[in-house]
Amino acid sequence: MLQLRLLPSIEKTVVGAEPSAGIAAASALWEERFSFQAVCRYDAAADEEHFVYRGLTLSGDPRLTGSAELFLQQPVSVGLACYPESDGDPDYLTHDPALIPDALLPLPHSQLSPDSELPLPSGQWIGIWLTVTVPTGLPGGEYALTV
């Protein structure tokens, strides 16, 4: 089964942890850079190790998609998440060593096509980070972006 959630840019999905319920909509002002995440997870059958998602594309109003930047999130190993004396601080993502999605690898628009492939390891949330700059003069209203 393939699961997908849209998350705010401030949230990190630690490997092995469940992300929040996500967001349904967001807002931004002229000349503002707005970022969010699309995280997906594939739960494979017993005889599968991973799934390859084919056809990663971005569509919507060209005034927004033209400025869009996409990045694939990669987890990095964090050996010391915090100092031992900070154990009581609830604002840390984790107090233990973990894999945390921190590296953002650019996904050029040329890789977004019906032929593109995105491997999804079974049981792991993989994130795609999107940043859109709202152009000056864009009329107020609702604009859809489809990934």
Side-chain angles (χ1 to χ4, degrees), residues 11 15 39 45 48-49 55-56 58-59 67 89 118-119 126 129 145:
E11 186 170 332
V15 173
V39 295
E48 297 177 293
E49 291 182 17
L56 181 65
L58 176 67
S59 61
S67 71
D89 191 333
L118 177 64
I126 298 293
W129 181 282
L145 289 175

Side-chain angles (χ1 to χ4, degrees), residues 1-2 41-51 120-123:
M1 173 172 71
L2 185 64
R41 174 184 169 150
Y42 178 72
D43 293 315
D47 60 341
E48 297 177 293
E49 291 182 17
H50 69 280
F51 171 76
L120 300 174
S122 180

Side-chain angles (χ1 to χ4, degrees), residues 65-81:
T65 58
S67 71
E69 298 173 85
L70 284 86
F71 302 88
L72 182 62
Q73 293 178 338
Q74 290 293 308
V76 295
S77 178
V78 175
L80 178 63

